Amino acid sequence: MCIPVTIASIFDPTKMAVRVTSSSLRPSDLDLTGYHQPALLPFKAAQKGLHLTMEAELTPSSAAGEQFSRLFSKLRALRPSDSPSFKTELNLLFDQLISENHSSSFTNENIRPEDVCSLLVHASRLVPHSQEHLVIKLCQLTHQLLNQLQVIADVQTLHTLVSYCTRALRTCSSWTHTEILLALSSLVYGNGPRCQQHLPQLLGQNGILLNYSDSCQTDLELRRSAVHCMANLCLGIPGHPYLEEPYKHICYRIFIQTLQSPKSPGVEEIAFCTLLQSALKGLQYFLSGEKWRASPDQELGSLLAVIKKYMFYGLPGINVEMPRVLYPAPLPQYETIPTVRAEPPQDVSAQRQTTATHPSKKRKSRGRGKKARAEGGNGGQEEGEDEDPRCGGDVGEVRGKGPAEQPRPPAHLTPPSLPGVGAQLCPPWKKSSSDSEFSDPEGGMQSKLRLYHARVRQGALHCFLATVKCVEKKVLYGYWSSFVPDTPGVGSPPSLTLLSIALKDLSPKARAGSLQVLSALLEGSRQFLSAAEDTGAPRQAFTPFSATLAASIRELHRGLLLALLSESSSQTLTQVIKCFAHLVSNVPYSRLRPGLLSPLWKQIRPYVRHRDVNVRVSSLTLLGALVSAQAPLPEVRLLLQQPCSTHGAPASGGSTPRGAPSGWRHPSRGEPDSASESGPESPCWLLQLCVALVTQPREEPHSDSDATGSASGSLEPSPVRLEALQVLAHLVKGYFPLAQTSLLELAQLSARCLGEQDASVQLHGAKLLEELGTGIIQQYRTEASQSETVSAVPVGQVVLFWSEVLTGPLIGALQNEQHPTLQTSACDTLSCILPQAFSQLPDKTQVLCITLLLGLTYSENSLVKAAAVRALGVYILFPCLREDVMFVADTANAILTALDDRSPNVRAKASWSLGNLTDTLIVNMEAVGLDFQEEISDMLLLKMLLSATQASADKDRVKSNAVRALGNLLHFLQPAHLSKPAFQLPLQHAMRALTDTVRGDTTMKVRWNACYALGNAFRNPGLPLGTAGWSEDAYSSLSTAVTSCRNFKVRIKSAAALSTPETRDRYGDARQFAEVWRSLAGALERSGDTEDFLEYRYCASLRAQLCHALLHLVALCRPHDLPAVAASLDGRSAPELRGFLVRYLCGDTPTPGRGDDDAAAQAEPRDGHRAMDRALSRLKELQAEATMDGASALDAVRGFLEDVARCCEDLKASDGPDTPPADRRPSQTLP
């Protein structure tokens, strides 16, 4: 039987059936028994690396599934035999299966994974280990089917074939082991945890993979295959378990040892690069699995040192001698960069002249590149993607540009260090434009070597990215200086950082990878970077960390600006701009000297017109970050106010990095491009630009990345329009005074977006409306005493604005049940109406808004329901609505219904709205009086009381507002309500809920609200405080909080609640009064005890509130209360209490409420003296009532207070420094 072979099939790698190479197969190793000679391949052809096939043409892809089934049926019909015909037929079936191209998507859909597994298992039973040539073909078939069809072997197939491969590795000849390991790596891909029973043979003591991956292994290809197999073992699939210890740690150790081992003499560089790629891939899989857990054998410093070493591997002109371990340090560690001597100026000029006078050599160079790609097969195609075409140029040139094309960087980007950076990092081969130094084969090998070096660097950067994701940021920031520069390197070799790769690497993928890592480091770094500061004068003696960090931020801006100007790849350019956006979002510009944002602002404008959609979108993202970073920043405000000509068409100074017309779009008709269009009253240029991007048609038919294209005159792609709307929202939020002149124009834009079919555009239009409404409300809330006064939008214009909005498509969006997210955003927009403007809207418009919101509270979607309930909670505070009893009742019923919802989010919003509703009840009670209280039905009040009590046992986000509502309700109830039996039990439950919350282990916000609620309830004179059974629990819980709570704001609020009752009867009997007094006195004595240093900022306010409470109790005391009061003033704590009271009366501490941001009332400085006067007056009144037993106690208390008053007067009379009394210890000094 002869097998036809055609020339076309020989050179088509997709029709490969038998892969025979000189490195893996020798003629003496073949068992030729039972085979016809024509079926064998000539060995010389195999030495040339030709891939042969046994069929002239492939089966069409439409019939690939049937062909596979036919061959599978034939294979399944075979039974093991030693006959030559069986071997021949099995060999032919293997060749036919291998020759098929299974990589098409149609084939993947028509071949079931279980059939693939069954075929491989059956084939393994037909091939004995003695037939090594068939073993190789089976391994090739296994690798091809699992890879091309993307099949992960099931458990049975995995065990069968892994056992087969492990036996083959122990019994077959060594020349077969590479192919066997390749098949094994495909089998264990993502199956590491399922290989538990095979791991001892593979990774245990003297395991197969450990022996083959050892550094002593002479066969580098075998070592690489073993490391690749270990890498696939470490790969984890999300949602599934990962490789278990200790095998995972064994793999990590092998990866690190492989990367730390030097290249052996005589080893080819390309082969060594493939080993490094496999080790780096395994390290990436290891790091992608779980969170990093440091151990003695798994140090982060060693890992980062290895990663940094190979980040620069093979980069021309750099030979890094990296330490084996990096340590957390504020300064960069030592690293050796050999100095590259720069060419003399005349030689550089000669090189330029040679380049200019011999253009044919450039063309010849490109031709050789094509030839190299042709020789390298697929590798040549990847080389074209991985490496920029580079020509000779000056050392100082920006990467990727010749002398004629290179724009001159602006002045702020050309420090004296730039030539030095170029001299250190510019590859020597790039400096020469002569192409005569390499022959054609040598040039092809050099290109191939650069390709493999670039892949190693990319693998290291992928490992670094995985490290950033699995290690805590606060740990990584200790190594910040090793990867992020802090100085431009004037007069010394520049440090090797991520920016070095972004600026000097020839591979676009490597540059993009370094920028992705830098973006990941910058993401969420706001807290770390907040320590940077350089606003003050520089210090000469030492450099603080804040200044070092600020210098690092400035160097990041400089380096990224250089990368922005020099980048030629659109994909990498997108990463540069995204990295800039992450930097801008996290830098504390208010703590740095101005000027960092202006260069970036000027350079980013042209990229909004770039032909690539992704570049345009990322540019708008960066503009959004600029206007939202710590807004409002004075520097950004000035940039927004500058004339449009400053930001129009870029000048010749480098603002247009790609001057070719093919890469840039002309300014659209809607964009201002001259100063004549920009006047003092004209809208902000960024606002005009974004409006134009959303509304104006684009002039080009399609951009580079918009492959589908569209007719000329159509709108911008959806991502560009959405990002422009987001920029508008950020601009309105941070710089509303600059946008308020275009208020009606923005309203029309939002209405247009809401009227479109795209739900995303509608959503962003509603978000813009919400920001506009919020900006108007903030203007009316702003105090008039601000340094920069901006006139608020007139109410009449606001009414016109909302009239236009509410007669447009916003109402339709509220009723659009197909898009609940849009309904949610529309509800949020309705809640942003200015109260003064709402009252002037037509009655039918007001009724429409209220009716829609009440109806949406019964929506089936929890997000819509929560937003509608929250909007009602805003409306209930409107002055024009809060006195409407019918609206209050309807809103209360809707809120109470939402409080029983299954969604925690709905209940949280309903609880917040219920708190606002009860605030309205208190306001109306004080403003309207008894008439309003009588109009509210008892049943509704009872329902609110029961619902609030039930909600106080819910989650903390529900509970915090529920207890606030309880306090308001208990304050609102009148004696007529409290006398009814229906309210008796709910009242007890409500008070018990508040006291349990004060005592409970909840968040401090909840406990603060509970203390506030109890104080609010104590203001109701109708409550039986002091006589009811729950009174003792209420006072006891507050007494415990004021003495032992670690949060000082909770202590302040509990002390305020204890001083709320206005009569002595409400404090209960003498025992209860004494308990309250002792708790307040003890709290004042221990007011400096805290474990959290941050609480000391509230210490003065706490002492003032406690002093006020003590004087309030003295002013209410009775004769039988005096012994307990005197006892606390006679002991060792008396001098300390006297000192605190003197300071309080002398004004050295804030009066109650001052310093406490959450205090309900701000007391005047003379309140302390009033409290003292009331206390002394009360003691004088008790002089006549005191008995003989109580006279001594009265004298002691009166003497103590008179002593305090005398000390206070002496201090004022002396008019000297504020010093504590002589009997006060130094430890009593207030912080």
Side-chain angles (χ1 to χ4, degrees):
M1 179 182 66
C2 295
I3 302 172
V5 178
T6 65
I7 297 298
S9 65
I10 290 177
F11 289 96
D12 188 354
T14 64
K15 302 175 182 180
M16 177 184 63
V18 181
R19 294 186 298 168
V20 186
T21 62
S22 59
S23 62
S24 60
L25 188 61
R26 300 185 298 275
S28 58
D29 295 325
L30 292 175
D31 184 1
L32 307 182
T33 306
Y35 290 91
H36 297 280
Q37 290 298 326
L40 299 176
L41 303 177
F43 184 66
K44 291 184 179 180
Q47 283 182 319
K48 295 182 180 180
L50 298 179
H51 298 163
L52 304 183
T53 183
M54 293 187 174
E55 293 183 351
E57 298 294 338
L58 276 176
T59 304
S61 60
S62 59
E66 298 179 2
Q67 174 72 357
F68 179 86
S69 300
R70 184 177 62 81
L71 295 175
F72 182 27
S73 300
K74 287 186 177 182
L75 187 67
R76 190 163 45 187
L78 294 179
R79 294 294 179 267
S81 174
D82 293 333
S83 63
S85 59
F86 166 77
K87 297 177 182 178
T88 302
E89 186 173 2
L90 184 58
N91 183 72
L92 179 59
L93 287 174
F94 281 168
D95 290 338
Q96 289 177 327
L97 285 168
I98 294 174
S99 65
E100 294 290 339
N101 182 14
H102 303 289
S103 59
S104 65
S105 59
F106 183 84
T107 305
N108 291 345
E109 295 174 358
N110 287 273
I111 299 178
R112 300 185 304 170
E114 51 267 26
D115 291 341
V116 175
C117 294
S118 300
L119 182 147
L120 295 176
V121 170
H122 186 71
S124 67
R125 295 168 181 164
L126 299 176
V127 179
H129 293 95
S130 58
Q131 300 293 327
E132 295 183 349
H133 58 286
L134 291 178
V135 171
I136 286 183
K137 289 191 177 182
L138 175 59
C139 292
Q140 292 175 357
L141 178 63
T142 301
H143 174 69
Q144 179 174 327
L145 288 179
L146 295 181
N147 279 4
Q148 291 188 359
L149 295 175
Q150 299 179 2
V151 174
I152 295 181
D154 56 40
V155 177
Q156 181 180 359
T157 305
L158 181 69
H159 293 331
T160 302
L161 294 181
V162 170
S163 299
Y164 181 89
C165 290
T166 52
R167 287 196 300 270
L169 288 170
R170 296 190 183 279
T171 58
C172 294
S173 302
S174 59
W175 63 272
T176 65
H177 290 183
T178 301
E179 294 291 346
I180 297 172
L181 286 174
L182 190 63
L184 184 61
S185 67
S186 300
L187 287 167
V188 301
Y189 182 85
N191 270 324
R194 296 180 177 178
C195 298
Q196 195 67 31
Q197 66 185 56
H198 306 284
L199 291 178
Q201 302 180 53
L202 298 175
L203 298 175
Q205 190 174 6
N206 296 323
I208 297 173
L209 296 181
L210 288 184
N211 293 334
Y212 287 148
S213 61
D214 191 84
S215 57
C216 300
Q217 176 61 245
T218 57
D219 190 339
L220 196 65
E221 179 63 22
L222 196 60
R223 183 181 175 190
R224 186 204 68 81
S225 299
V227 173
H228 181 63
C229 190
M230 297 171 71
N232 286 355
L233 276 171
C234 290
L235 176 66
I237 299 177
H240 294 77
Y242 295 95
L243 187 65
E244 297 179 356
E245 297 291 353
Y247 302 109
K248 188 176 180 180
H249 177 71
I250 292 173
C251 293
Y252 173 80
R253 179 169 50 82
I254 294 298
F255 298 147
I256 292 294
Q257 289 177 357
T258 303
L259 294 171
Q260 290 177 340
S261 301
K263 186 182 72 170
S264 302
V267 175
E268 293 184 359
E269 181 66 21
I270 291 180
F272 186 64
C273 285
T274 59
L275 174 63
L276 295 178
Q277 290 176 36
S278 297
L280 288 169
K281 181 63 69 174
L283 203 55
Q284 179 188 351
Y285 290 161
F286 173 87
L287 295 169
S288 301
E290 298 174 349
K291 287 294 183 181
W292 176 267
R293 288 178 293 182
S295 63
D297 297 331
Q298 191 171 307
E299 296 180 354
L300 183 59
S302 302
L303 171 64
L304 293 177
V306 167
I307 290 176
K308 184 169 184 180
K309 175 182 178 181
Y310 289 103
M311 278 167 45
F312 300 93
Y313 186 79
L315 197 62
I318 295 180
N319 183 17
V320 184
E321 294 181 9
M322 190 66 58
R324 292 180 67 90
V325 180
L326 291 179
Y327 297 99
L331 298 176
Q333 297 180 50
Y334 173 79
E335 54 195 25
T336 300
I337 310 174
T339 303
V340 180
R341 186 169 56 188
E343 299 291 338
Q346 60 269 22
D347 293 342
V348 175
S349 303
Q351 290 173 5
R352 288 185 174 181
Q353 183 178 1
T354 303
T355 305
T357 56
H358 297 282
S360 60
K361 291 187 177 181
K362 284 188 178 182
R363 291 192 293 270
K364 183 177 179 182
S365 175
R366 293 192 182 101
R368 283 204 304 271
K370 294 181 180 178
K371 180 177 178 181
R373 289 192 290 272
E375 291 179 2
N378 295 337
Q381 297 176 4
E382 295 177 4
E383 178 183 344
E385 299 172 0
D386 277 359
E387 188 171 318
D388 287 342
R390 299 291 193 266
C391 301
D394 192 4
V395 172
E397 290 179 14
V398 180
R399 170 186 42 74
K401 295 186 178 183
E405 302 178 55
Q406 180 185 354
R408 183 184 303 275
H412 63 277
L413 295 179
T414 55
S417 62
L418 279 180
V421 175
Q424 293 294 335
L425 297 180
C426 186
W429 64 269
K430 183 181 176 183
K431 298 178 186 178
S432 174
S433 61
S434 173
D435 293 317
S436 60
E437 49 188 318
F438 292 120
S439 63
D440 286 354
E442 290 174 343
M445 287 302 297
Q446 288 292 326
S447 298
K448 189 174 183 180
L449 184 59
R450 288 198 299 270
L451 171 66
Y452 276 82
H453 283 162
R455 289 177 177 173
V456 172
R457 296 196 296 273
Q458 293 166 27
L461 290 168
H462 291 160
C463 285
F464 198 177
L465 184 61
T467 304
V468 174
K469 293 180 178 179
C470 74
V471 179
E472 289 188 39
K473 289 288 183 67
K474 63 181 181 181
V475 177
L476 273 179
Y477 290 147
Y479 302 89
W480 176 271
S481 60
S482 298
F483 299 97
V484 179
D486 58 357
T487 57
V490 179
S492 62
S495 58
L496 297 180
T497 61
L498 290 167
L499 278 182
S500 306
I501 303 174
L503 290 171
K504 294 299 178 181
D505 203 302
L506 302 180
S507 169
K509 292 183 179 178
R511 298 197 299 271
S514 68
L515 292 164
Q516 286 178 340
V517 174
L518 187 55
S519 297
L521 277 174
L522 291 171
E523 186 178 5
S525 61
R526 183 173 302 173
Q527 184 176 2
F528 171 69
L529 295 180
S530 64
E533 185 176 13
D534 66 348
T535 54
R539 302 180 182 180
Q540 302 297 331
F542 70 97
T543 302
F545 176 70
S546 60
T548 303
L549 198 56
S552 178
I553 292 174
R554 292 189 175 277
E555 186 62 17
L556 278 174
H557 280 77
R558 190 189 73 90
L560 288 176
L561 272 175
L562 286 174
L564 185 69
L565 292 172
S566 62
E567 188 52 61
S568 58
S569 168
S570 295
Q571 290 79 9
T572 311
L573 182 60
T574 303
Q575 293 300 327
V576 174
I577 300 174
K578 287 183 177 179
C579 187
F580 242 136
H582 282 103
L583 177 64
V584 170
S585 300
N586 292 281
V587 168
Y589 290 101
S590 58
R591 297 169 59 89
L592 306 177
R593 294 194 304 271
L596 280 177
L597 296 178
S598 300
L600 172 59
W601 190 274
K602 297 175 182 178
Q603 298 301 328
I604 197 59
R605 172 74 185 277
Y607 292 94
V608 181
R609 299 193 302 270
H610 199 279
R611 289 186 61 88
D612 190 278
V613 171
N614 295 322
V615 175
R616 301 210 298 277
V617 171
S618 58
S619 302
L620 289 170
T621 302
L622 177 53
L623 286 172
L626 285 168
V627 297
S628 62
Q630 300 180 355
L633 285 174
E635 183 179 1
V636 176
R637 184 188 293 111
L638 290 176
L639 291 170
L640 287 169
Q641 292 173 339
Q642 288 180 359
C644 295
S645 58
T646 307
H647 309 282
S652 59
S655 295
T656 310
R658 297 288 164 259
S662 60
W664 293 90
R665 306 169 63 239
H666 298 292
S668 62
R669 291 187 295 271
E671 297 182 32
D673 201 40
S674 64
S676 61
E677 300 178 18
S678 177
E681 301 299 330
S682 62
C684 166
W685 69 266
L686 182 58
L687 187 146
Q688 289 181 308
L689 171 66
C690 293
V691 171
L693 289 175
V694 175
T695 59
Q696 298 294 329
R698 53 180 175 174
E699 298 179 357
E700 290 80 2
H702 62 273
S703 61
D704 294 342
S705 59
D706 188 13
T708 58
S710 58
S712 179
S714 61
L715 295 174
E716 288 281 351
S718 182
V720 176
R721 301 181 69 213
L722 295 178
E723 202 64 39
L725 287 169
Q726 284 193 356
V727 174
L728 280 176
H730 291 315
L731 178 63
V732 170
K733 182 177 181 179
Y735 302 88
F736 182 79
L738 299 179
Q740 71 181 54
T741 56
S742 304
L743 188 63
L744 297 181
E745 181 184 0
L746 293 175
Q748 294 171 0
L749 174 65
S750 300
R752 172 174 176 167
C753 293
L754 286 170
E756 295 192 14
Q757 297 297 322
D758 190 345
S760 298
V761 176
Q762 293 176 330
L763 190 61
H764 282 75
K767 180 63 177 177
L768 178 58
L769 272 180
E770 181 185 349
E771 294 297 346
L772 287 169
T774 304
I776 296 172
I777 293 174
Q778 291 296 333
Q779 274 195 332
Y780 278 82
R781 288 179 181 173
T782 304
E783 296 181 358
S785 59
Q786 283 190 340
S787 58
E788 183 177 353
T789 304
V790 178
S791 58
V793 182
V795 176
Q797 189 176 353
V798 178
V799 173
L800 181 62
F801 168 80
W802 283 112
S803 298
E804 184 172 343
V805 168
L806 295 174
T807 55
L810 180 63
I811 302 302
L814 283 166
Q815 298 172 325
N816 190 350
E817 297 182 357
Q818 302 300 321
H819 299 288
T821 307
L822 179 60
Q823 285 183 293
T824 302
S825 185
C827 289
D828 293 337
T829 302
L830 275 189
S831 67
C832 295
I833 301 178
L834 184 70
Q836 295 91 319
F838 186 86
S839 62
Q840 297 185 24
L841 290 174
D843 291 343
K844 62 178 182 180
T845 305
Q846 296 184 27
V847 172
L848 177 62
C849 294
I850 295 171
T851 304
L852 287 173
L853 291 177
L854 287 172
L856 289 175
T857 58
Y858 297 95
S859 172
E860 296 181 358
N861 187 278
S862 60
L863 293 176
V864 178
K865 184 183 298 186
V869 170
R870 179 191 172 277
L872 287 175
V874 174
Y875 278 26
I876 198 65
L877 298 176
F878 286 4
C880 62
L881 293 178
R882 66 188 179 202
E883 296 181 8
D884 187 343
V885 178
M886 294 302 298
F887 172 71
V888 171
D890 292 340
T891 302
N893 287 320
I895 292 173
L896 295 178
T897 303
L899 270 177
D900 292 332
D901 196 84
R902 293 179 299 176
S903 169
N905 185 45
V906 174
R907 297 199 303 273
K909 300 296 184 184
S911 176
W912 179 82
S913 296
L914 181 61
N916 287 0
L917 174 63
T918 55
D919 286 341
T920 296
L921 296 181
I922 300 300
V923 172
N924 288 337
M925 179 183 68
E926 297 172 353
V928 181
L930 190 60
D931 294 340
F932 180 83
Q933 292 173 295
E934 293 176 350
E935 291 183 10
I936 298 294
S937 69
D938 295 352
M939 186 58 64
L940 181 60
L941 285 174
L942 184 59
K943 287 173 61 178
M944 287 194 289
L945 187 64
L946 293 173
S947 297
T949 304
Q950 182 180 358
S952 65
D954 207 330
K955 297 182 178 180
D956 284 351
R957 52 189 302 216
V958 180
K959 183 186 300 184
S960 61
N961 285 293
V963 294
R964 176 168 70 98
L966 274 179
N968 285 329
L969 288 171
L970 293 175
H971 185 188
F972 183 82
L973 293 177
Q974 298 303 304
H977 302 127
L978 299 174
S979 61
K980 296 180 180 180
F983 281 87
Q984 297 300 319
L985 191 59
L987 174 62
Q988 297 178 18
H989 291 167
M991 293 302 299
R992 185 178 299 113
L994 291 179
T995 54
D996 290 344
T997 305
V998 172
R999 289 196 181 107
D1001 187 16
T1002 59
T1003 61
M1004 294 304 162
K1005 178 181 178 181
V1006 175
R1007 297 185 68 182
W1008 187 96
N1009 279 349
C1011 293
Y1012 172 81
L1014 280 176
N1016 200 3
F1018 288 174
R1019 291 189 176 92
N1020 187 350
L1023 281 180
L1025 182 62
T1027 58
W1030 45 260
S1031 298
E1032 184 176 351
D1033 289 339
Y1035 282 118
S1036 176
S1037 62
L1038 290 172
S1039 300
T1040 303
V1042 79
T1043 55
S1044 61
C1045 184
R1046 64 176 181 272
N1047 185 280
F1048 276 18
K1049 296 180 78 173
V1050 174
R1051 292 194 196 183
I1052 293 171
K1053 192 52 61 178
S1054 58
L1058 287 173
S1059 63
T1060 300
E1062 295 293 337
T1063 61
R1064 171 62 186 84
D1065 295 337
R1066 300 177 66 79
Y1067 280 100
D1069 55 14
R1071 182 185 57 81
Q1072 183 65 59
F1073 184 90
E1075 180 183 346
V1076 173
W1077 172 269
R1078 283 192 294 269
S1079 65
L1080 291 172
L1084 182 59
E1085 184 181 353
R1086 295 186 294 272
S1087 57
D1089 299 343
T1090 180
E1091 299 176 357
D1092 188 357
F1093 182 77
L1094 296 177
E1095 295 297 328
Y1096 274 110
R1097 55 183 168 172
Y1098 303 112
C1099 186
S1101 297
L1102 171 62
R1103 287 168 176 167
Q1105 185 64 64
L1106 290 170
C1107 290
H1108 179 80
L1110 287 174
L1111 293 177
H1112 176 73
L1113 289 181
V1114 174
L1116 298 178
C1117 67
R1118 292 175 179 172
H1120 55 269
D1121 299 326
L1122 293 175
V1125 175
S1128 64
L1129 301 179
D1130 259 347
R1132 291 179 299 175
S1133 61
E1136 198 164 11
L1137 294 177
R1138 184 183 299 109
F1140 286 131
L1141 287 170
V1142 169
R1143 281 182 164 271
Y1144 170 59
L1145 293 174
C1146 291
D1148 293 342
T1149 60
T1151 52
R1154 295 191 180 275
D1156 179 14
D1157 298 336
D1158 300 305
Q1162 297 288 327
E1164 296 294 333
R1166 57 180 178 271
D1167 285 353
H1169 294 284
R1170 290 177 179 174
M1172 174 62 83
D1173 291 342
R1174 287 196 299 267
L1176 291 175
S1177 299
R1178 178 58 181 166
L1179 292 177
K1180 290 180 181 179
E1181 294 175 0
L1182 295 177
Q1183 189 73 36
E1185 304 176 12
T1187 61
M1188 294 298 295
D1189 296 335
S1192 58
L1194 176 60
D1195 293 340
V1197 175
R1198 185 175 179 180
F1200 178 85
L1201 292 183
E1202 290 176 349
D1203 189 21
V1204 169
R1206 190 182 314 108
C1207 291
C1208 184
E1209 291 176 0
D1210 292 344
L1211 285 175
K1212 289 183 179 181
S1214 63
D1215 197 21
D1218 184 15
T1219 55
D1223 57 348
R1224 202 172 153 199
R1225 298 187 299 269
S1227 61
Q1228 299 159 2
T1229 303
L1230 294 177

